[in-house]
Amino acid sequence: GAVVSQHPSWVICKSGTSVKIECRSLDFQATTMFWYRQFPKQSLMLMATSNEGSKATYEQGVEKDKFLINHASLTLSTLTVTSAHPEDSSFYICSATPGSRETYEQYFGPGTRLTVT
Amino acid sequence: GQNIDQPTEMTATEGAIVQINCTYQTSGFNGLFWYQQHAGEAPTFLSYNVLDGLEEKGRFSSFLSRSKGYSYLLLKELQMKDSASYLCASLDSNYQLIWGAGTKLIIKP
């Protein structure tokens, strides 16, 4: 159980275009979803936390107008990278948690590798 | 401030035992997670400790000392597939994970 999917697995886009990444919890309801970015040989960097039906909370230094997050349902969150630039090329990973007091384990999606040319 | 410290890299031999240490300082504490991450893949859950002591799960064990702000992950009977990064993460008072930078474990035959 506790499977999280991400789509697409990888995407190449041209500079200036927008890219949408979907994150789905397949067999549980995710009260909270997290979006991470990871550059090569670096650790996970939390970008934002989103709760279903409310606005996402962005970490310091992350532009909320550039990285649009929508957590429309208890099983789906989307991250849209707007006006992408080569420096946005990275590995984007989402995670989800049921958020119950019994477990705060985060279940990770397989990640999306974004390359902006 | 919040801080998680773990070694950047460790090397061990196939079949041996290795211990990866992690010290943490977070605002509040609601548990300590260990995740494994292979290159190019997302992290996968290994263990969660919230009480002091050792939790054993097959070849992997995790230890926690809350008073010392210290945890370790113990890997026994190392296999080549255990070559990966191991991430330590502390759950703070807001139930948010604070991540360490990860320890890259290299297994040599």
Side-chain angles (χ1 to χ4, degrees):
Chain A
V3 179
V4 175
S5 70
Q6 255 183 266
H7 178 80
S9 300
W10 58 270
V11 58
I12 302 172
C13 71
K14 292 186 177 180
S15 187
T17 61
S18 295
V19 174
K20 180 185 282 189
I21 302 170
E22 289 188 351
C23 178
R24 293 180 185 273
S25 57
L26 299 184
D27 51 3
F28 67 99
Q29 293 188 323
T31 55
T32 306
M33 286 185 167
F34 304 86
W35 286 96
Y36 293 86
R37 181 168 51 183
Q38 187 174 36
F39 293 105
K41 298 183 179 181
Q42 294 186 24
S43 188
L44 295 173
M45 186 184 77
L46 180 65
M47 298 175 68
T49 302
S50 74
N51 293 294
E52 184 265 339
S54 61
K55 290 184 178 180
T57 302
Y58 290 82
E59 295 298 303
Q60 195 171 7
V62 178
E63 300 173 59
K64 62 180 181 181
D65 294 329
K66 181 172 180 61
F67 299 98
L68 302 178
I69 292 171
N70 183 23
H71 194 157
S73 75
L74 284 172
T75 59
L76 173 65
S77 177
T78 60
L79 167 68
T80 302
V81 183
T82 62
S83 187
H85 291 288
E87 56 265 31
D88 298 324
S89 298
S90 186
F91 191 44
Y92 291 87
I93 310 172
C94 75
S95 71
T97 178
S100 65
R101 291 277 165 171
E102 288 72 40
T103 175
Y104 279 87
E105 177 184 340
Q106 291 185 24
Y107 302 99
F108 284 86
T112 297
R113 190 161 302 282
L114 170 64
T115 302
V116 184
T117 61
Chain B
Q2 311 215 83
N3 194 46
I4 308 286
D5 281 322
Q6 52 181 130
T8 304
E9 187 175 297
M10 298 181 72
T11 302
T13 305
E14 188 178 16
I17 299 173
V18 70
Q19 177 174 312
I20 303 174
N21 297 323
C22 170
T23 57
Y24 62 88
Q25 288 178 309
T26 54
S27 55
F29 180 76
N30 283 296
L32 195 291
F33 287 86
W34 283 96
Y35 282 82
Q36 180 191 60
Q37 186 179 24
H38 285 100
E41 298 180 12
T44 55
F45 170 79
L46 289 178
S47 67
Y48 171 65
N49 295 63
V50 67
L51 300 176
D52 285 354
L54 186 69
E55 298 263 351
E56 297 186 71
K57 192 185 293 184
R59 293 189 300 114
F60 292 7
S61 303
S62 56
F63 171 84
L64 176 68
S65 169
R66 294 178 66 133
S67 61
K68 295 181 179 178
Y70 167 70
S71 172
Y72 68 72
L73 181 69
L74 190 71
L75 293 76
K76 302 177 184 177
E77 301 170 17
L78 286 170
Q79 301 175 9
M80 297 303 293
K81 67 178 182 180
D82 298 329
S83 292
S85 286
Y86 291 85
L87 306 173
C88 169
S90 173
L91 197 62
D92 71 7
S93 57
N94 294 319
Y95 293 91
Q96 181 157 315
L97 277 180
I98 309 300
W99 293 89
T103 298
K104 182 178 179 181
L105 178 62
I106 299 168
I107 309 296
K108 295 185 175 180

